[in-house]
Amino acid sequence: MMRRLPAVEGEWIDRSRPLQLRFEGRTVTALQGDTLSSALAAAGIMTVARSFKYHRPRGIVSAAGHDANAVFQIGHEPNQRGDQIAAREGLAFQAVNTRGGVARDRASAIGLLARFLPVGFYYKAFLGQRSFPWFERIIRNFSGLGRVRFDRIDPPRERRYQHCDVAVIGAGIAGLAAAVSAAEHGARRIVLIDEAQRPGGSGLWHAKTQPQDVARCRELIDRLNASSDVELLCSHSVVGYYADHELAVSRIDREDGGLRLLRARAVVMATGCIEQPAVFRNNDLPGVLLGSAAQRLLYRHGIGAGERIVVLGANDEAVALALDLVSQGLTITDLAVPEGSPIDPTSLPFGALRAAGVRVHGNVRAIAAQAGSDGTLAAVEWLGAGRREQVTCDCLLMSTGWMPALQLALQCGGSITFDAALGQHLPQTLPAGLFVAGRANGCFDFADRATDGAAAGEQAARHARGDLPVADRSAPPRSTRRHSHPAALFAHAAGKEFVDLDEDLTLADLANAAQEGFDSVELLKRYSTVGMGPSQGKLSNLNAARQLARVTGRELPTLGLTTARPPWQPVSLGALAGARLAPLRRTAMDAWHDRHGAVWMPAGNWRRPAYYVGATDTQQQIGAEVHAVRNGAGLIDVSTLGKIEVMGRDAGLLLDRMYVGVVSDLAPGRTRYAVMLDEAGTIIDDGVVARLADGRFYITTTTGGSTAIYRELQRRVAEWQLDCTLHNLTGHLAAMNLAGPRCREILAQCTQLPLDDKAFPYLALREGHVAGAEARIARVGFVGELGYEIHTPCDQAQAVWDALLHAGAATGLRPFGVEAQRILRLEKGHIIVGQDTDGVTNPFEAGLARMLRMNKPFFTGQRSLQALQRRGDRQQLIGFTIAAAQVPLAESHLAIDAGNIIGRITSVAYSATLGRTIGLALLAPAHAVIGGTVQFRDDHGAFHPATLVAPPFYDPAGERQRSGAQA
Amino acid sequence: MSTRFGIKGSDAPALLQQLGLRIPAQPNRVTHWLPHDPWGSGRCLRQGSSEFLIELDSSEMPALPAGGEAFPNAWPLIRSDHSQLLSGDSWSRDLAQLCSFDFARLQDEPDLVVMTLLAGIGVTLIREPAATSTDFALRLWCDASFSTYLQDCLNTIRGSR
């Protein structure tokens, strides 16, 4: 059983500061500096989790977050890494994926079905099965890790940008040396990142057996702390490496940790190696863990990994591990060296072990762990020296090999190669400015790691300050010996040799997948899901590839590697979301609208008043706003319209090419309605074009299209090399539309401009002053009444709005919102691009053919229209009326004929002015016949007959807007 | 109260220089005008090669000559940008929550005009001339329709410290 030992020199815990945690209802006493995993270990809790598929008992494996065993639910936060989350007073947590808790998980019965759940089970069992949806519900209910709360919104997580000269990933020996060296060579902003709570990595282990190395490591840490140029980010993980040395850095010691986006001029990856588990029968029992995990528990948290420890060792590190633990008073009974290991059990270091009372066994095979009555490790057995041996133990440490942590280098475009002599992958090509050092670079000895790190730090500093090209550093002092067993896979007749602890995949599963034809690493991954669990293959991908090589008879280097993608470590969606920024635009009159009861609706990234709350209900209020415009006057804020000024000799030419009609012949002071298409002939925008003067035009766009149209105009100016320039006035000018038969007399009180039809005719534009503010006034309107659209600088707009309302108080002027505007424009049959048109609607179909000037030399979409004209319409926009007032029809309700869909409603509303329901619909041309009848189906399946008519529904001659004639 | 307007077009630099105004020689740089400059104190931001944002510290709009035949491609522009001064040396650190720009660059290049995204919206930023070597203040402009949104974002990050 694991237990807390007497104080260990350099430990990270504070024994004077006890903490009380709650694990599945049980009080766990921890110390400041513990992680959740170490707290459980110190409390002797060996089984901390249940496996994903078979719900097998699982314990601590890496103590570094490299495995997905110690994953917990903390409050509403699922899947938190117990190896990394810091213990704090009162924290309550529980295992994920259990039914009834980790100790008595009722779902563990599923393990009895393991033989019926082969690799590729879902494909084999459910492909083509109509019953799958039924099973899917059960499976989904049963599977998955953790619980997500959909009923709460957490506070935003912090996300910040940061810049540095040199980023060093990994604060082990190589990383420390790199950071110190970079500072010594002139880098001023250095960020050193490590997943652990403190720097040092494995450099602080072996305190009694290699004290000179530990002293050197401490010296580096002291120099680091003394440097004002280095920022140390402990308990942070680099989860993604993107172009131009941008690193996504996640805080990992809290469940609500945020994210930094760190942009570096140069990067040193001193990410070390990840110790790989051996694969043997029952290698997943609690009590079976990596050798490096035992040292982490010992030197960081003062915890002994077991009372009777057996080491399964295949490399120099295994011998050093055993000697180290013995020197700290732990009991190592046996060291078993598997056959094929790159070390000789008869060599000198083993003598020291034997002298310490450790029995050494060479060439062992058929290894199997055995569970006790509590489901944790009780013994280990193997076949060696011609006989089967069994050793009673409560801890089995695996120290059989390593995988360099190079995935981040692959994410940013680097490549790696397999070094046969060293028996591991090494960097092959790296992007400029990225340097790999230490064990990840094949340097294993302590001094070599420091030397390699220092060299990489110097190179990074030179690169950061622009010394290009940076000369290759001398050949790194790589190890000349193997540090990994070529394939620590020990098949057993009884099976249960787990390759992937996340997914409960065994050697047999992978062999079966390969034999079924999934014999490349990518196919094997997708079919078996190996490496697709929460730990992203850190402990399984290499062993899976070795098993594939073994089964297919190929060499490991020929198999390649699966693609490395971010995130390298799990990161919460909350951290990615950050502050949840949602830019919202407000018009200059926004506060006035708010004070006067505006009910808001989104319009692009603006908010607009839908209507104003009054004494009556919503529909009556909207109706009253409509009535005011039709019978007196109304005022609407239309500041959200796009507004662009086009200036220069070719301004008219540009607009002629952009719009379907001709605008270059406009006289100064005149406006024209204009429609814009894309290359396919689809309507993308409409608005008004005004000529202010020679070489100076002013155009409006739809609210949603303003940014895109401005960009498109800019692009076209550059592409066509025109002599004109653009200015986007959308945010600089406010706009309001004063409309209604009495609006002229209201406006006359606020301006000196003559407003009679002769001086200021329909579709004219005048520049002058309104209420003392500079203004552009256009006699245009969307609502079919006499109207003036007044554009004025934002900072003067509220005064203009107030003045107009004051002037119109006696005539019943009232503000109106978008809902009333939509009814008013529908009565006039004016379309809204994007509502009455869709992603394929062309001008012929929308009834806008009269706008086209097909004889122009060119306009965008012209050639497509010529083809579309030959092809004929696919749909036709047409008006309809329904006599009834209360019709439950809405936009997108379908028109049905003989059971077939023949179209859909694009706009529909009840018109109090006309006393009937009116609308627009896109119908199949054969059915779009004036005077015909179509049936629209509502949400409840009821049909409503409608008569097809030609819009406009109101004032078809347009007298009211042209002359302001009274109804 | 300040006055703000723009001048844009290929003839804009020549027009301003003819008026005796000091303008930035390079794009994306700012020249700070002093009281004895022709239009008084203020700032002239060169946003690209042929666009200028001019902000004067007085409320008096100077008489802008029409480009005419001499400068046919110099167009005066309405600019109703929201303008804000951020004083205090911690702003560059706080703004890192909202903006990917490396504000340390403004220490080395104090006349830099930065056009970047802040809290997801386009802003123009300059460093204010320092009264002392340790002063660090930023002046920013954004589309006026985003002013409330931007203020909310700035208040949030200030409040989260």
Side-chain angles (χ1 to χ4, degrees):
Chain A
M1 180 184 289
M2 295 182 185
R3 63 182 170 86
R4 189 86 72 185
L5 301 173
V8 177
E9 185 185 350
E11 65 188 13
W12 295 355
I13 50 172
D14 182 348
R15 292 178 185 254
S16 68
R17 298 177 63 187
L19 304 169
Q20 300 290 317
L21 313 180
R22 298 284 292 175
F23 176 62
E24 300 199 337
R26 174 179 171 182
T27 299
V28 174
T29 301
L31 296 170
Q32 189 72 34
D34 266 324
T35 62
L36 302 188
S37 297
S38 71
L40 294 177
I45 298 173
M46 299 292 288
T47 301
V48 302
R50 291 282 175 163
S51 69
F52 175 65
K53 191 154 73 173
Y54 301 134
H55 290 252
R56 289 171 64 88
R58 291 283 168 78
I60 295 168
V61 175
S62 68
H66 294 156
D67 62 283
N69 275 9
V71 165
F72 302 110
Q73 180 91 23
I74 304 175
H76 60 276
E77 293 286 351
N79 304 327
Q80 299 298 308
R81 299 293 166 121
D83 293 348
Q84 294 162 334
I85 298 287
R88 59 181 190 271
E89 182 65 38
L91 189 145
F93 60 107
Q94 62 197 67
V96 297
N97 198 37
T98 71
R99 298 273 170 134
V102 73
R104 283 177 290 278
D105 180 14
R106 295 189 299 276
S108 60
I110 202 169
L112 301 173
L113 304 174
R115 59 186 300 190
F116 304 111
L117 299 170
V119 64
F121 167 74
Y122 294 116
Y123 302 116
K124 291 169 180 167
F126 297 118
L127 193 63
Q129 294 292 318
R130 298 186 64 179
S131 59
F132 178 66
W134 186 82
F135 283 103
E136 185 188 20
R137 279 196 296 276
I138 295 174
I139 293 164
R140 287 197 183 281
N141 185 43
F142 212 79
S143 61
L145 299 178
R147 294 189 316 277
V148 176
R149 289 277 300 273
F150 293 101
D151 59 343
R152 61 171 289 139
I153 299 173
D154 289 337
R157 308 272 181 93
E158 182 183 27
R159 189 174 67 172
R160 63 168 53 244
Y161 298 92
Q162 189 172 354
H163 300 261
C164 66
D165 292 340
V166 176
V168 180
I169 311 172
I173 292 302
L176 289 168
V180 170
S181 171
E184 289 173 348
H185 288 87
R188 291 284 71 89
R189 293 187 297 176
I190 302 161
V191 179
L192 176 58
I193 308 152
D194 199 277
E195 293 181 348
Q197 295 165 299
R198 297 188 190 185
S202 62
L204 296 172
W205 305 347
H206 308 284
K208 294 185 177 176
T209 54
Q210 298 166 30
Q212 70 286 357
D213 291 346
V214 175
R216 167 87 171 119
C217 183
R218 292 194 190 287
E219 181 206 332
L220 282 171
I221 293 172
D222 290 342
R223 289 169 65 187
L224 186 85
N225 290 333
S227 172
S228 60
D229 297 321
V230 183
E231 180 185 4
L232 181 59
L233 284 181
C234 286
S235 296
H236 282 73
S237 176
V238 178
V239 299
Y241 193 150
Y242 304 93
D244 298 331
H245 304 304
E246 185 168 43
L247 308 174
V249 185
S250 170
R251 183 173 174 181
I252 57 176
D253 62 338
R254 292 183 59 88
E255 62 273 26
D256 58 356
L259 196 69
R260 295 184 190 216
L261 298 173
L262 177 64
R263 176 87 64 182
R265 293 174 188 267
V267 174
V268 175
M269 271 183 57
T271 42
C273 285
I274 296 173
E275 190 159 34
Q276 297 295 292
V279 180
F280 53 89
R281 176 170 168 74
N282 289 335
N283 60 338
D284 65 332
L285 291 178
V288 179
L289 59 159
L290 297 169
S292 53
Q295 288 175 299
R296 288 187 185 96
L297 291 170
L298 176 65
Y299 285 102
R300 297 175 180 178
H301 309 292
I303 292 170
E307 302 288 349
R308 290 176 57 82
I309 300 171
V310 173
V311 176
L312 180 65
N315 50 19
D316 293 344
E317 287 81 2
V319 181
L321 164 72
L323 288 170
D324 185 33
L325 298 187
V326 167
S327 75
Q328 293 287 357
L330 295 172
T331 302
I332 310 291
T333 62
D334 299 79
L335 189 151
V337 181
E339 63 178 359
S341 297
I343 52 171
D344 178 6
T346 63
S347 62
L348 190 60
F350 287 91
L353 274 179
R354 291 188 177 95
V358 179
R359 295 186 296 269
V360 178
H361 313 266
N363 293 318
V364 305
R365 59 191 184 281
I367 302 154
Q370 295 176 350
S373 58
D374 63 352
T376 65
L377 179 71
V380 59
E381 64 174 27
W382 56 73
L383 199 58
R387 66 178 190 279
R388 178 150 292 276
E389 293 183 72
Q390 186 181 72
V391 179
T392 301
C393 61
D394 63 349
C395 176
L396 174 60
L397 300 181
M398 301 173 287
S399 187
T400 56
W402 307 88
M403 180 184 75
L406 290 168
Q407 280 73 8
L408 291 172
L410 295 174
Q411 284 180 12
C412 68
S415 66
I416 60 177
T417 184
F418 189 80
D419 185 289
L422 190 57
Q424 76 170 49
H425 288 92
L426 292 174
Q428 184 175 36
T429 59
L430 297 171
L434 170 61
F435 307 92
V436 177
R439 276 183 170 155
N441 198 30
C443 305
F444 276 74
D445 290 346
F446 184 95
D448 294 341
R449 279 183 275 162
T451 301
D452 196 39
E458 178 184 349
Q459 281 202 310
R462 290 187 190 285
H463 183 89
R465 67 168 182 256
D467 292 354
L468 294 173
V470 175
D472 283 344
R473 63 181 192 260
S474 55
R478 286 177 175 147
S479 176
T480 55
R481 298 189 309 282
R482 279 175 167 268
H483 293 262
S484 296
H485 192 286
L489 315 175
F490 307 102
H492 194 282
K496 295 281 189 287
E497 321 93 330
F498 288 94
V499 178
D500 190 332
L501 299 180
D502 291 13
E503 305 279 347
D504 281 348
L505 289 167
T506 65
L507 287 174
D509 289 326
L510 299 183
N512 290 338
Q515 285 158 3
E516 289 175 31
F518 301 96
D519 56 359
S520 75
V521 289
E522 292 287 358
L523 287 175
L524 183 72
K525 172 183 170 180
R526 280 155 183 77
Y527 186 62
S528 69
T529 68
V530 65
M532 292 170 70
S535 49
Q536 290 286 284
K538 293 183 183 67
L539 302 187
S540 61
N541 277 355
L542 188 56
N543 280 333
R546 284 171 172 152
Q547 172 69 347
L548 182 62
R550 177 179 285 183
V551 172
T552 59
R554 288 182 283 171
E555 295 294 322
L556 181 64
T558 67
L559 293 175
L561 293 164
T562 53
T563 306
R565 299 184 184 88
W568 163 239
Q569 288 278 32
V571 57
S572 71
L573 294 175
L576 293 176
R580 301 173 198 151
L581 301 171
L584 176 68
R585 304 182 79 170
R586 291 176 162 89
T587 73
M589 285 77 80
D590 183 275
W592 187 96
H593 300 315
D594 218 26
R595 285 197 307 275
H596 290 80
V599 175
W600 296 104
M601 64 178 287
N605 53 357
W606 298 83
R607 68 173 191 174
R608 297 189 69 185
Y611 60 94
Y612 298 85
V613 171
T616 56
D617 69 21
T618 299
Q619 291 308 317
Q620 287 177 316
Q621 197 66 25
I622 294 168
E625 292 176 10
V626 170
H627 184 268
V629 176
R630 289 280 178 247
N631 298 283
L635 185 63
I636 183 171
D637 183 353
V638 292
S639 303
T640 60
L641 289 172
K643 309 170 205 76
I644 301 168
E645 207 160 289
V646 187
M647 302 154 286
R649 192 187 63 196
D650 294 334
L653 177 61
L654 169 70
L655 298 177
D656 277 352
R657 290 181 176 185
M658 295 303 298
Y659 289 111
V660 300
V662 176
V663 294
S664 59
D665 62 351
L666 273 172
R670 296 293 297 174
T671 69
R672 188 169 291 160
Y673 175 67
V675 174
M676 195 179 289
L677 311 181
D678 65 11
E679 295 284 10
T682 300
I683 300 169
I684 58 170
D685 205 72
D686 67 350
V688 170
V689 177
R691 184 170 208 149
L692 301 175
D694 285 343
R696 191 157 193 168
F697 290 82
Y698 179 59
I699 69 172
T700 63
T701 75
T702 57
T703 295
S706 63
T707 303
I709 298 303
Y710 180 68
R711 285 181 184 152
E712 179 66 2
L713 289 170
Q714 284 184 308
R715 188 178 74 84
R716 291 300 199 179
V717 168
E719 180 185 348
W720 293 333
Q721 299 183 26
L722 299 180
D723 179 12
C724 65
T725 189
L726 305 166
H727 181 42
N728 191 346
L729 283 160
T730 304
H732 297 286
L733 292 182
M736 57 201 84
N737 193 275
L738 179 65
R742 302 192 67 179
C743 69
R744 182 181 285 152
E745 60 189 273
I746 296 169
L747 182 59
Q749 299 174 54
C750 302
T751 182
Q752 300 296 317
L753 287 169
L755 300 177
D756 59 275
D757 279 341
K758 188 174 180 185
F760 197 161
Y762 180 56
L763 296 182
L765 178 136
R766 298 289 179 263
E767 293 185 87
H769 289 81
V770 175
E774 292 179 20
R776 291 171 182 170
I777 310 161
R779 246 199 83 180
V780 296
F782 197 37
V783 298
E785 298 291 346
L786 174 66
Y788 297 90
E789 198 163 280
I790 302 159
H791 295 223
T792 190
C794 286
D795 51 0
Q796 301 171 63
Q798 185 61 60
V800 175
W801 178 272
D802 291 341
L804 290 170
L805 284 175
H806 180 73
T811 52
L813 173 66
R814 64 183 296 165
F816 64 104
V818 175
E819 293 289 353
Q821 186 196 38
R822 287 184 174 177
I823 294 172
L824 292 160
R825 69 89 200 175
L826 182 58
E827 290 171 345
K828 280 299 293 178
H830 291 155
I831 68 164
I832 296 177
V833 173
Q835 176 172 323
D836 298 305
T837 68
D838 57 25
V840 295
T841 308
N842 62 56
F844 303 121
E845 297 170 339
L848 296 174
R850 68 184 185 284
M851 307 293 303
L852 302 174
R853 295 294 176 269
M854 296 298 284
N855 56 350
K856 280 201 301 185
F858 172 81
F859 65 88
T860 302
Q862 186 185 40
R863 279 168 290 191
S864 295
L865 287 186
Q866 288 163 349
L868 291 169
Q869 207 168 14
R870 289 192 295 274
R871 188 200 65 184
D873 297 344
R874 286 177 299 193
Q875 53 185 355
Q876 189 69 54
L877 190 70
I878 193 166
F880 67 86
T881 66
I882 299 172
Q886 300 297 325
V887 185
L889 289 174
E891 285 79 13
S892 294
H893 278 156
L894 299 177
I896 306 289
D897 180 67
N900 298 314
I901 297 171
I902 59 167
R904 62 180 175 83
I905 294 173
T906 61
S907 296
V908 62
Y910 174 70
S911 167
T913 307
L914 301 169
R916 59 187 189 272
T917 296
I918 59 173
L920 297 172
L922 279 167
L923 297 179
H927 296 271
V929 179
I930 302 296
T933 302
V934 294
Q935 299 277 347
F936 291 113
R937 188 175 65 189
D938 68 20
D939 284 337
H940 304 289
F943 285 88
H944 303 273
T947 303
L948 300 179
V949 299
F953 306 92
Y954 175 80
D955 184 26
E959 291 300 319
R960 295 176 66 91
Q961 63 193 45
R962 278 199 195 88
S963 64
Q966 298 286 325
Chain B
M1 189 69 182
S2 58
T3 301
R4 196 176 307 115
F5 57 94
I7 295 181
K8 189 175 185 180
S10 55
D11 293 332
L15 173 65
L16 293 171
Q17 284 173 322
Q18 195 209 36
L19 293 168
L21 296 162
R22 295 182 297 124
I23 64 170
Q26 300 293 324
N28 302 327
R29 300 283 161 172
V30 59
T31 295
H32 295 276
W33 287 339
L34 302 171
H36 58 70
D37 277 298
W39 286 352
S41 63
R43 49 212 64 83
C44 174
L45 284 69
R46 190 164 190 166
Q47 299 176 294
S49 62
S50 60
E51 183 170 359
F52 296 85
L53 168 62
I54 293 166
E55 188 175 75
L56 304 177
D57 291 335
S58 75
S59 58
E60 208 165 306
M61 182 77 181
L64 278 175
E69 289 186 3
F71 305 103
N73 278 320
W75 306 94
L77 306 175
I78 297 167
R79 294 291 298 251
S80 297
D81 308 63
H82 168 71
S83 173
Q84 190 155 2
L85 185 67
L86 307 176
S87 56
D89 59 3
S90 64
W91 271 112
S92 55
R93 190 184 68 227
D94 291 343
L95 291 179
Q97 294 180 49
L98 302 173
C99 181
S100 65
F101 178 72
D102 183 4
F103 289 94
R105 283 187 64 191
L106 292 172
Q107 298 280 10
D108 302 327
E109 302 173 84
D111 63 341
L112 194 63
V113 172
V114 182
M115 288 182 279
T116 185
L117 286 179
L118 193 148
I121 63 172
V123 298
T124 300
L125 277 162
I126 62 166
R127 183 182 170 182
E128 274 290 281
T132 70
S133 61
T134 56
D135 283 354
F136 195 91
L138 297 168
R139 187 179 292 274
L140 71 79
W141 294 264
C142 75
D143 188 303
S145 62
F146 285 119
S147 61
T148 304
Y149 163 76
L150 180 65
Q151 195 60 55
D152 289 346
C153 289
L154 296 176
N155 290 342
T156 300
I157 60 168
R158 280 305 228 197
S160 66
R161 285 196 302 158

